[in-house]
Structures are given as structure tokens and as C-alpha cells.
Amino acid sequence: MFSAWNWVAHGLYLLLNICFLEVSGGLVQSCGHIIPESPVLALGSNFTALCILNESCLDFGNIYANQIIWKIKNRVVPKEQYREINRTVSSVTFNDTSSLATPLTCNILADGQIEQNIYGITVTIGLPPEKPKNLSCIVHQVSKLTYPMTCTWNPGRHTFLDTHFRLKYRWPQENFPDCIPKDVNNSCTITDVQFFVNLEVWVEAANALGKAESDPLVLDPIEIVKPLSPHNLSVNSGILPTVLKLSWENRISAAVMKLKFNIRYRIIGDTDWMQVPPEDTASPRTSFSVQGLRPYTEYVFSIRCMKEDGVGYWSDWSEEKTGVTTEDKPTKGPPIWRIIDASHSPASWTVQLMWKALEPFEANGVILQYEVTVRAKSSLSSPPEKYSVNTTNLTLKLPNGTYEVTVMARNRVGASPPSVLLIPASNSKAPVKNVRTLPKDGKLWVGWTAPNSYVLKYVIEWCLVSNSSDCITEWQNEPGNVQGTYLKGDIKPFKCYLITVYPLYADGQGSGQSVKAYLQQDRPSKGPTVQTKKVGKAEAVLTWNHLTVDEQNGFIRSYTIFYKTIDGNETAVTVDPSKTEYTLSSLTSDTLYTVRMMAYTDEGGRSGPDFTFTTQKFGKGEIEAIVVPVCLAFLLIVLLGVLFCFNKRDLIKKHIWPIVPDPSKSNIAQWSPQVPAKHNFSSKDQMYPEGSFTDVSVVEIEADDKKSFSEQDLKPFDLLKKEKSTSEGHSSGIGGSSCMSSPRQSVSDSDEGEATQNTSSTVQYSTVVLNGYRDQTPVQVFSRSESTQPLLDSEERSEDHAGGGDSATQRQQYFKRNGGQDETNTDRPCFERTKQITPANEGDLVGFAQLQISGQSSQPLGIELEKNTQEAALSDVLQTSTEGQTVRPETVEGSPLSVDEMPKSYLPQTVRQGGYMPQ
């Protein structure tokens, strides 16, 4: 507790001391300072600084020299560099000022270990100035009377201090004001000087660390003058075609200075200058004639001057002026060559003469025309043929022979010497050998081996080989003593050139030797496109076309064919570049192959597009070996089948085309009278007496039924009418699924009497026989028959319907299929619909009825039957037959219909007791 109060008291004491010191003028101002104040130090020198404390701060603030801390940029200086001189003075020493930085501060460590800044100074470090060197002066002529002098020097190293330079000059007896540079430290201009008086000039440099002076320079300003260049230069043509005259004006007085000159010139378009010899222009002048120029050539001229004795400086070059020399006769004849075409006729030639236009330095003017002379050597007496043309070619038709051709170029001044070309009848002289080419330095060099005979000159002929353009011939002449030269035309890289060398002799020429060459080769532009010519089981013949010359870009050295299966490794085959066809062997049958082809030059190759093909599954002759035996076996089988069918034709006919019996010829027709008796339908008891019905049965007559019937038995069927109607239901028999019979397609009549359609290949008939057999007189109705024989139109007799319009018929009756069953068995879906016809004799009861069994109520007939069933009461049961048996079929009565209007249907019917029921 005591120590805490002690620290609080000590802090209050320091606070009061600080406040007191601030009131007295501040801590820094009143407690000390540093000597020297803001020093400028030489880089690398020793330096010592002193921090002196004020006496007033010692006792009151308990501040002493041993508490001083020196810092450089807030970095504490090591204690080893400190020295306490007394209780108020502390020093710090730096052996090398290169590590010294600004600011340098003096600080104290007061009570409570609080660091306070006493004083700080800025230290400047630099170098003293060096002695200026290389002092030189030049007098520039600004005008005819103004000559300022500019002196330059080397200021030396960078001092890192503000260094001031002064240019001092004086005469031997008089000093002049210093020339102080502006914005620079290495030059100064004196506006006016006097000639012919020696002038002493030197430079002084000074900064905070010292001064330095250059060596003095003594000179006469007239010796350092750079005069203005001559002006108003003009160029005029002289009398001679090789001379141009120049004239100009000097801008310095001859009394002040005598001048000499330099004249340079060049042909316009060139970059290299030529000069007139200096000794020819080493004297004062204002004009000069330049000789040795080319005729009819444009030149560019420029001129400069300096002091005649060579002391001083050359002026700048004057502005350029141009001039053209006059024309002269051409110095040489144009080079000439020919192309001979003897393809049309060996006895005559088409000769195309060609010559090159002369170079400007050879033409010496504008060529107006070319004069061509053709003289036949075989007939010296004949006059030569002369031609004047403005072009550089001429085509002639000449007989086969030896000719001498001369060509001269003519301008305004005159004609050139003639150029002579000998065209021999045949190239019988020795040719050159071993023609070769070599690309070198962007040019194409052509070399050859000279023949043993003396050669007058060589003609090198070349043309660009291309598929897109004709071969345009270019050529050049070379002396007979050379065996190689560079082609002088525009030779392009990646293009093929055909080069031919001809030796020309004094009395003829040798045949040309040709070679193809490229200045630079490249990979082909594209690869060959490969195709198949023939594909077998284990081999394939590939074919391709050579690349065009424009696509090759070099000499094709080889072809490489790559082929593979989908999942196999690629196989490569190298092919000679002269080939266009190759056969791949040892292939797998019925396999897809991918093939491509690459063409190679000296610079690399390029691949063509992929091509696929599939090898055949069978080899040559294998398919024939399989197909021929199979065809023979098939023909044998067909022949045996035909023989078998012929032997078994009766059996086959029985199964495929069964014999269909004619219902009109059936014996059952004899059981019924020709005309059914009329029946009185007004009384139910009279229609069917009780006990007159027996079981309901179906008579089925098959096509192959072997039971024979007499014509008498089949007579009742003559009364059967063929009805044409369309079945409205979906029953499988006549009227549907007939009870006690197999399902059949049916033909039924519509109630409206519409035209009928045969919906099945089977027409079913039914007859119900009532009582009696043979000698008895039965009541005849129709019972079902499954004959496939359709009713004939001739069987429908008009008498069957006689009287039908006079008497009304009863409503159709529906019976059960089996008359022997109990009447109470009403759940069977089979009903019978009858149509009754009143015969001529009302005493006889003959019932003709057609019954149709309806399997579904959705058909129109079924709906009609259902309505009739709801409206009509059940008819009485027919009574006993001759044998006392009773059958009670169910009947449904409706409104009576006429015979013609009554719908007809061939359905199973009931049979009276004792009747015949065929099985």
C-alpha cells in the first residue's frame, strides 16, 4: 500500500516538472541543443556531434548527460559511440558518414523510464565538386553578322549537393561578366565575340564542400566558326550528256572567311552518296560542273562549306536539288533469245524472238523502237528481212534452216550496237553436263560443267511450273568463262522452277540440259486421297493420284500408307513416289479397315483424308461353290415335290377342294309335297295339333357324306327360296350359336327386305319334318343343313310366293332347339323363328318356317325379337302326331306378315313325332 502511494506521488512530481518546463518555453528549447547545427558532411568522413544540456534543467528535472540517448531515424546509436564529457555534455562519433542519416536526435531517459526528445538536427551528406573537364567552344553563324559562341564541358561526378557552375572568360587585359548556365550544368552561350583576338575561357564549379576550376582554354573565335551552308543551289544540264553544272550562294563574307566546299550526289532512288573529290573544290567558288555522270539519269545534289585552311567546323549540308543529264546513244544491244516450235511441221518453224529491255544506264534515253534483221545463212544472196517493232518480242514463221538474227535499240540520239543470235538448223554442238542447283542466301544458284569446246556464252532459261498458269519463260545471258550463276529473276519459295542451260558457240549451239529446283521447300499443302480399286477377301488394291505441282511445295521423296482396323494397331508401308497403286495383302476377311496416306518432302509430310473399306467375307469362287450346290438341291426338291403332288392329286383335291353336294338333288326333298298346304293361322289348335311334333333335330349334310338320296327325297328342297340378306348380329351359325350344332357363319334376312350379302362361304339350310316317313303325309318344315353349296337363283320360283299377298301370315314363332326338352327349361338362349305359308289347300297343314337363333340381343333382329317377345303371348303347344307323341315348343307370336314381307332365315327346326331325322 505504501509503494502504491509512493508511485502516485512520484508521477505527480514529474507532471508538475513537465508543466513547469513547458511554461518556461518547452522541453526542447530550454533543456539543450546539438552542435553543429545542420551540418553538411562529406560522404565517408568522420563526424562528432555534441548534445549540451541547460543548467536550469539539471536539478529541477533530474536530467543529466549520462541519461542522453542518440538516435538516427528513430534507430538508437550504439552506446560504444557515446562519450560523456561532463554532467551536461554528451558526444557521439561516426567514423563513416555513409551510414549516417537524417535526422540525428538527442534524447533523455527521465524518471519513470520515459524517453523525451531534447533536440534534433538535419545532416546533409554529399561530395565536393570535381574539376570540370573537356572544355570546348564553337562559334555558330546565325546570320551574316551574328556569331554567338557556345562552350560545353564535362561537369564530373554527381555531388548530391547543390553545385553551381560559371563560365569565365577574359581578354589579356580585360575581364567579362561570368556566363551562368540556365537549366543545365554543362554548357553556356556567350552572345557576342570578337574575331582575331585571343580569348581565355575556363569553368568554375562550387558547392558547400568546396570549389573546382577547369583548365583554361585560349583561342581565337575565328578558328572555331561553323558557317551557314550555301543556299540557292541550282542544277543545270551541260552540253555533254555526262555533265551537270551546280551553282550556289555563300552566306559569309569573303573578307571574314575564305571557304572550301564538299559536293555529294546520288542517282535518285539510291541510298549511297558519291562525292566530288575534295581537292577539286578546295578553293573559294560559287559554282562547279560535275562530270562522269550517266546520260539521261536523274541525280540528287547537296553541298557544304568550311574555312579554307580546314580550321573550324564544316557547315551542315544544304538542301537537296535534282537534275537530269541529257540523252545519249544506247551503249549496248538488247540481250536476245528465241523459242522454236517445230511441232506443226518439221519443215517449218514457228520462231518466237525475245529480247530484254535495256537498263536505264544502258539505254541512255527513251527507246523508241527495236530494229530486227533476219538473214538466212544458207542463202547469202537473198536480202535480209527487216522488222521495226515497239515490243520486246517478235514471232516469225521460217523454213527449217540456219538463221542470223540481229536486234538494235534506237532512241532520239541513235541506235545501239547490234545484238546477234545464231539459230542453227539443229543443236548439234556439245551440251553442258551435270546441271545442279543450290539455294543460297535467299537466291537460287545454278551450276554446270562446261563442255570441252570453247563457249561464247551461256543462256540460262527458266520458268515457273504450275497447274494454274502457263510456263512463262525467263532467261539471262552469262559469259562463256563462268560455270555457275545466280538467277536474277523474282524466284519465289515453295515454287517449282524448270531450269535449262544452253551453251552458245560461234557457229551454233548445244542442246539444253534441264533440272527442276526449289528455292525453298515446305511440307505438302495436302496429302494424297487414297481409294480402293479392288477389294478381296485378304487383299485390297489402293490407288491415288499424284499431288499437283502447286500442292507439293517441294520434291516428293516418298509415300507412306497407314492402315488399321477399328481396334488394331496401325501398320505403315512406304511406297515409291513414282507409284500410284499399291496392293495391301494379308488382310482379315469381313473386316473394316481405315487407311490414309502421307506424302513427304525434305521438310516433312502431310496426311491425306481417311478412307474406309471392308474386306469381302468370301474369296473369289467361294460364293459360287456354295450357291451352285444349293440351287441344284433346291431344284431337285421342287421336282420331287411336283412328282409327289401329281401322284397324290386325288387326296390333295379331297382335302383342299371337297365335293359339295347339291341340296336340290338331296333325297330329303322327296319327303315334302311340291307345294305346301295352306294353313289357317287363325286358330292355334289347327296350326299344330297336339302331339304332332316330335324332337327338334338338325339335318347336317356334309360335302363328303356318302349317304345317297333319291330325287324324290330331294324334291321338298325345290320349294326352298334363296334369301339374300346381311347378318346384323355377330352369331357364329344361322342366327348365332345354334343349339345342338357347331358354330357357323349365317346368312339372315333383314326385316325390311333389304338386299342380302353372303357373309360366309357356308350357306346353311334347315328343314323340319312333321310326322310320317316315306308313305306318310308329313307336315314339312325346314331342318338345318350345313351344306357349303350356295342356293341358285333358278331355285327361287315365283310360285313359292303365290297367294302370299292375299293372306296374312302369323307372327314368327320361336322354338327351342330340342323339342324333347321340358317347356320350363327357359334359360337356354336359343329361340326359333318361323315363317308360315298358307298352301292352296287350306285343309292341309304344311308349315314352312325358318328359324334363326340369335346369340346376342345387340343386333337388330334380336332387338325385334325381344320386343315381339314382350308384346306377344306365348303360343299354344302343338298337339299330338299320328303316333300320339307330343312336342311342346315355345312360340312367340307377332303381327301377321305377308309371305313376301316375312323375313326368311334358315335355322334348325322342329320335327313331328315319328319324322325322319338324318344323322
PDB file of all heavy atoms in Angstrom, residues 7 62 268 312 533 568 804 808:
ATOM      1  N   TRP A   7       4.433   5.648  -5.778  1.00  0.00           N
ATOM      2  CA  TRP A   7       4.424   5.795  -7.243  1.00  0.00           C
ATOM      3  C   TRP A   7       3.474   6.919  -7.667  1.00  0.00           C
ATOM      4  O   TRP A   7       3.786   7.664  -8.589  1.00  0.00           O
ATOM      5  CB  TRP A   7       3.978   4.499  -7.903  1.00  0.00           C
ATOM      6  CG  TRP A   7       5.102   3.498  -8.034  1.00  0.00           C
ATOM      7  CD1 TRP A   7       5.303   2.375  -7.312  1.00  0.00           C
ATOM      8  CD2 TRP A   7       6.173   3.610  -8.953  1.00  0.00           C
ATOM      9  NE1 TRP A   7       6.443   1.738  -7.683  1.00  0.00           N
ATOM     10  CE2 TRP A   7       7.023   2.496  -8.726  1.00  0.00           C
ATOM     11  CE3 TRP A   7       6.548   4.556  -9.925  1.00  0.00           C
ATOM     12  CZ2 TRP A   7       8.194   2.279  -9.426  1.00  0.00           C
ATOM     13  CZ3 TRP A   7       7.703   4.332 -10.641  1.00  0.00           C
ATOM     14  CH2 TRP A   7       8.528   3.194 -10.397  1.00  0.00           C
ATOM     15  N   ASN A  62      16.135  16.574 -12.695  1.00  0.00           N
ATOM     16  CA  ASN A  62      16.995  15.402 -12.524  1.00  0.00           C
ATOM     17  C   ASN A  62      17.427  14.828 -13.876  1.00  0.00           C
ATOM     18  O   ASN A  62      17.349  13.633 -14.154  1.00  0.00           O
ATOM     19  CB  ASN A  62      16.295  14.295 -11.717  1.00  0.00           C
ATOM     20  CG  ASN A  62      16.082  14.704 -10.271  1.00  0.00           C
ATOM     21  OD1 ASN A  62      16.932  15.404  -9.682  1.00  0.00           O
ATOM     22  ND2 ASN A  62      14.959  14.296  -9.685  1.00  0.00           N
ATOM     23  N   ILE A 268      18.868   9.188-108.196  1.00  0.00           N
ATOM     24  CA  ILE A 268      17.616   9.199-107.448  1.00  0.00           C
ATOM     25  C   ILE A 268      17.102   7.774-107.294  1.00  0.00           C
ATOM     26  O   ILE A 268      17.137   6.972-108.228  1.00  0.00           O
ATOM     27  CB  ILE A 268      16.585  10.104-108.152  1.00  0.00           C
ATOM     28  CG1 ILE A 268      15.408  10.382-107.214  1.00  0.00           C
ATOM     29  CG2 ILE A 268      16.104   9.480-109.459  1.00  0.00           C
ATOM     30  CD1 ILE A 268      14.516  11.510-107.688  1.00  0.00           C
ATOM     31  N   GLY A 312      38.360  24.851 -87.977  1.00  0.00           N
ATOM     32  CA  GLY A 312      36.967  25.143 -87.679  1.00  0.00           C
ATOM     33  C   GLY A 312      36.076  23.928 -87.964  1.00  0.00           C
ATOM     34  O   GLY A 312      36.497  22.761 -87.888  1.00  0.00           O
ATOM     35  N   LYS A 533      -9.317 -49.674-105.524  1.00  0.00           N
ATOM     36  CA  LYS A 533      -9.594 -50.069-106.895  1.00  0.00           C
ATOM     37  C   LYS A 533     -10.247 -51.435-106.939  1.00  0.00           C
ATOM     38  O   LYS A 533     -11.125 -51.704-107.762  1.00  0.00           O
ATOM     39  CB  LYS A 533      -8.296 -50.082-107.695  1.00  0.00           C
ATOM     40  CG  LYS A 533      -8.457 -50.447-109.158  1.00  0.00           C
ATOM     41  CD  LYS A 533      -7.117 -50.388-109.876  1.00  0.00           C
ATOM     42  CE  LYS A 533      -7.254 -50.753-111.345  1.00  0.00           C
ATOM     43  NZ  LYS A 533      -5.946 -50.723-112.036  1.00  0.00           N
ATOM     44  N   GLY A 568      -7.329 -52.239 -83.863  1.00  0.00           N
ATOM     45  CA  GLY A 568      -5.994 -52.798 -84.051  1.00  0.00           C
ATOM     46  C   GLY A 568      -4.936 -51.709 -84.123  1.00  0.00           C
ATOM     47  O   GLY A 568      -5.221 -50.497 -84.129  1.00  0.00           O
ATOM     48  N   GLY A 804     -99.205 -65.174-101.424  1.00  0.00           N
ATOM     49  CA  GLY A 804     -98.660 -64.604-100.200  1.00  0.00           C
ATOM     50  C   GLY A 804     -99.205 -63.238 -99.943  1.00  0.00           C
ATOM     51  O   GLY A 804     -99.285 -62.793 -98.806  1.00  0.00           O
ATOM     52  N   ALA A 808    -102.805 -63.029 -94.791  1.00  0.00           N
ATOM     53  CA  ALA A 808    -101.818 -62.527 -93.782  1.00  0.00           C
ATOM     54  C   ALA A 808    -101.215 -63.684 -93.049  1.00  0.00           C
ATOM     55  O   ALA A 808    -101.867 -64.663 -92.771  1.00  0.00           O
ATOM     56  CB  ALA A 808    -102.539 -61.577 -92.819  1.00  0.00           C
TER      57      ALA A 808
END
